[in-house]
Amino acid sequence: DTGVSQNPRHKITKRGQNVTFRCDPISEHNRLYWYRQTLGQGPEFLTYFQNEAQLEKSRLLSDRFSAERPKGSFSTLEIQRTEQGDSAMYLCASSPGQVQETQYFGPGTRLLVL
Amino acid sequence: GENVEQHPSTLSVQEGDSAVIKCTYSDSASNYFPWYKQELGKGPQLIIDIRSNVGEKKDQRIAVTLNKTAKHFSLHITETQPEDSAVYFCAAPLDGGTSYGKLTFGQGTILTVHP
């Protein structure tokens, strides 16, 4: 399978715990995006990487959130001191890297904070 | 910032009928308009997209039309089948396409096709 992969697919945690999600983009895709989707809503942009550089962060991304893409390949999204309001589907997407190209989404990681 | 409005929120059709979903956007500089299909428990899957240099694009039973003057674009599905049942999202790039491609999504349309 050469699509975008995300792990884990599901995560249940208790409030106050830290969680980390991983995204593996399509091979050779330079751009990587993180979105968050709550029930009944469309995805909302969180952050964007061009290779290893994080170039954009939404104001939705509080100080408890951090994302990395250390070698320009896979990316991780960490949420510290989780809150119940963090419960959502976290989606990763990648694109080849031209000005405006198709974004291919992964299956998402569904987070439930108890 | 970009705002994308999508209607209707739910759409129920009989198998074989056509379905139309409409979206309006706020930034006249936007130049790329994808449509995604999302099935339960899965990530959004691109089904068709259109760029601002064309007014219509078709792929088998699916077509998208764009009216840049009115700032709206529509998804048309003909000869609907039960497997078309899903949530459909329209999207447009934030900041009129001058950003790095980050998308603003509509609120989604739940399409149900009855056999």
Side-chain angles (χ1 to χ4, degrees):
Chain A
D1 190 317
T2 57
V4 177
S5 62
Q6 292 186 246
N7 288 288
R9 294 292 311 278
H10 304 273
K11 179 69 177 180
I12 300 174
T13 191
K14 294 182 179 179
R15 188 176 53 187
Q17 298 295 305
N18 299 342
V19 295
T20 299
F21 310 141
R22 176 178 170 129
C23 170
D24 286 90
I26 294 172
S27 179
E28 298 183 357
H29 276 195
N30 296 326
R31 296 187 171 189
L32 188 147
Y33 306 82
W34 284 98
Y35 292 83
R36 182 172 69 186
Q37 185 177 27
T38 53
L39 208 58
Q41 301 295 318
E44 295 176 290
F45 170 78
L46 290 179
T47 190
Y48 154 76
F49 289 86
Q50 174 79 34
N51 297 313
E52 67 275 9
Q54 187 175 18
L55 299 183
E56 288 278 343
K57 292 200 301 185
S58 163
R59 60 179 179 274
L60 292 176
L61 216 64
S62 75
D63 291 344
R64 297 184 297 104
F65 287 71
S66 63
E68 294 182 342
R69 195 182 182 195
K71 296 183 179 179
S73 56
F74 72 92
S75 176
T76 58
L77 178 67
E78 180 183 16
I79 309 175
Q80 295 182 326
R81 305 181 303 282
T82 53
E83 302 173 356
Q84 289 184 326
D86 296 332
S87 296
M89 173 82 90
Y90 289 85
L91 293 162
C92 176
S94 71
S95 72
Q98 299 303 312
V99 174
Q100 186 66 70
E101 290 201 354
T102 300
Q103 292 182 30
Y104 299 91
F105 282 83
T109 295
R110 182 166 293 285
L111 172 67
L112 177 61
V113 181
L114 301 176
Chain B
E2 181 67 76
N3 186 43
V4 179
E5 297 289 333
Q6 181 172 346
H7 299 280
S9 56
T10 61
L11 181 58
S12 183
V13 300
Q14 289 297 128
E15 182 176 2
D17 288 350
S18 295
V20 180
I21 303 170
K22 298 181 179 181
C23 285
T24 59
Y25 59 98
S26 56
D27 192 332
S28 57
S30 291
N31 55 11
Y32 173 68
F33 307 94
W35 284 92
Y36 287 87
K37 174 184 180 182
Q38 188 172 29
E39 297 175 329
L40 198 62
K42 297 183 178 181
Q45 178 187 12
L46 180 85
I47 55 172
I48 196 167
D49 56 14
I50 191 168
R51 300 183 189 275
S52 58
N53 56 344
V54 296
E56 183 175 0
K57 184 177 178 180
K58 189 173 181 180
D59 182 5
Q60 299 181 5
R61 297 187 296 108
I62 296 173
V64 56
T65 58
L66 171 64
N67 184 327
K68 286 214 71 180
T69 303
K71 291 188 287 186
H72 68 70
F73 56 112
S74 300
L75 177 70
H76 305 254
I77 305 174
T78 59
E79 302 172 19
T80 53
Q81 302 167 2
E83 50 265 40
D84 294 329
S85 297
V87 183
Y88 291 80
F89 291 99
C90 62
L94 282 168
D95 302 325
T98 59
S99 65
Y100 299 106
K102 53 189 178 182
L103 296 171
T104 299
F105 285 78
Q107 298 87 343
T109 297
I110 302 172
L111 173 64
T112 304
V113 180
H114 299 280

